[in-house]
Structures are given as C-alpha cells and as structure tokens.
Amino acid sequence: MRACVGGVLLMVLLGGCQTLPHTTSPRAAPDVVDARAAQQQRTQALGLASGDCLQPGWAMAGRMAISNGKDAGAARFEWTQGEGRLQLQLTAPITAQTWVLQSDTQGAQLQGMPQGSQHGADAATLLRTATGWDIPIQALGCWMRAVAASEFGLGAAQIHFDGQLLPRQIEQGGWKIEYSRWQLDPFSGLQMPSRIDAQRGKSRVKLAIDRWGLE
C-alpha cells in the first residue's frame, strides 16, 4: 500500500506525460562490419569497454517522460555519475518538487518521498518498489550513450545500426532502446543520442537530452 501511495503521488506531482519530439533516423542498410567496428571504437572512446556503466565520470540533463501502462509522468532530470556512484535528480515541472536517487556499492537511497528517505539494495528495485516506475538504472549509463551494458545480469545485446553507422536500436534484457536524434558532444567529440525511447512491456522511459558534461 505504501509503494502504491508513493507512486501515485509522484505521478500526480510530476504531471502528465509530455510528448517528446521525434525524428526518424535514416534507414539505409549499413555495412555490418564497418558498423560493428565503429561501435567498438565508440565504446572504447567513451571508457565503457569494461561494461561498467557507472564509469567514467559523466553527467547529462534533460527531460524524462515515464509510463507503466497505467500511470504517466514527466520531469526535468539531472544524471551525474563517477567512481562507482550515481545520482539521478528528478524535478516536477510545475511544483518544482525534487526527488533524488543515489546509488553506490553500499546500496541506494531515494529522497523526497512522503514517507521520508527510502533505502534499498539497488537503485532500480528501490525506485520500482517506492514509486511503481520501472527504470533500468544500472544500464542507463551505457544505453544513454548508445552502448550496450554488460552481459552480466542482462544478457547479450543486439545492436541495429542506421546508415551513418550509429546505433538506431539496442535490444538487451528485454528492453528495446531506440535512438531517433543525435547531436555532437563537445567533450567527447562523438555523436550522442539526444532522443531516446526505452521500452519493455508496458514500461516506457523517454528522454530528451539537453546537455552532456564531464563530472
């Protein structure tokens, strides 16, 4: 009952689900060998060759829309990570109320709920229990940069590429992550996705990225 009340309240305060702009990527058939080579270079350049999505230090901000087939909400978000630590801050667009999810090797903590600070073993389970939202926290650090997460716990990933040798979809752990718009990141010098749509069953997370940064 507590989780239900917390989830409904968070949905109400966040407001209705926003419609994010969508631009379809070119669908010209890419050269598979070239695309895989480009993706390997991308993974190494971003420091993600080990599959650890919480490395290296990195930050991003934008808008998030969440739905689970029953409830929907939207918020501004700020994501920061580094040295095995993660912080996701969500801010309601109208009330400006803030929720902060923090995670490290010791566990996870969610602040801003009516019941007070909530604690759990991992961030994704804590968020799902407290709010009803299914957000793949541990893998997002990779997926938001258009790189597959570690196979441990999620299984192997299938990556589909567009005509520019950029990922247009990653399938992993039952999630389908689609990339529909890209923008040059001045810090890495790489094209980074600015529109991301992740879906598994009735759970859906849509991201519109405004900026990237180094933590």
Side-chain angles (χ1 to χ4, degrees):
M1 182 65 179
R2 171 184 289 183
C4 180
V5 172
V8 170
L9 181 60
L10 180 57
M11 179 273 291
V12 171
L13 291 174
L14 287 180
C17 181
Q18 296 177 340
T19 301
L20 303 180
H22 180 85
T23 300
T24 303
S25 301
R27 293 300 180 91
D31 182 280
V32 176
V33 175
D34 288 347
R36 289 177 177 172
Q39 184 67 4
Q40 184 176 12
Q41 293 176 356
R42 175 187 188 83
T43 301
Q44 293 174 343
L46 290 171
L48 294 171
S50 68
D52 184 354
C53 298
L54 294 183
Q55 299 292 345
W58 174 70
M60 70 186 309
R63 290 162 286 146
M64 176 183 291
I66 320 167
S67 61
N68 57 16
K70 180 180 179 181
D71 299 321
R76 296 286 308 176
F77 80 92
E78 293 185 11
W79 174 290
T80 56
Q81 65 174 62
E83 299 181 351
R85 298 184 179 88
L86 162 69
Q87 176 172 298
L88 172 61
Q89 178 174 305
L90 299 173
T91 304
I94 298 177
T95 65
Q97 182 168 348
T98 298
W99 298 265
V100 179
L101 177 66
Q102 296 175 315
S103 176
D104 58 24
T105 57
Q106 303 301 313
Q109 176 178 325
L110 177 62
Q111 301 174 343
M113 299 299 293
Q115 312 94 312
S117 296
Q118 306 290 300
H119 300 267
D122 71 89
T125 301
L126 173 61
L127 189 63
R128 183 168 56 251
T129 301
T131 70
W133 301 122
D134 186 13
I135 301 179
I137 299 294
Q138 302 307 111
L140 272 184
C142 289
W143 292 346
M144 289 190 297
R145 289 177 280 182
V147 172
S150 170
E151 294 185 7
F152 180 75
L154 288 172
Q158 291 186 338
I159 305 179
H160 308 276
F161 300 93
D162 63 19
Q164 306 301 314
L165 305 185
L166 293 169
R168 63 176 176 82
Q169 184 185 81
I170 293 178
E171 297 181 50
Q172 189 174 22
W175 286 89
K176 290 185 178 181
I177 307 94
E178 296 186 350
Y179 306 96
S180 58
R181 190 175 299 178
W182 297 79
Q183 185 174 330
L184 181 66
D185 170 26
F187 297 99
S188 67
L190 299 173
Q191 291 290 330
M192 298 289 282
S194 59
R195 296 294 185 273
I196 304 169
D197 188 345
Q199 188 167 6
R200 180 174 68 178
K202 294 182 179 180
S203 296
R204 191 172 189 178
V205 181
K206 300 180 73 174
L207 302 175
I209 313 303
D210 296 332
R211 61 177 174 84
W212 297 268
L214 299 177
E215 178 62 16

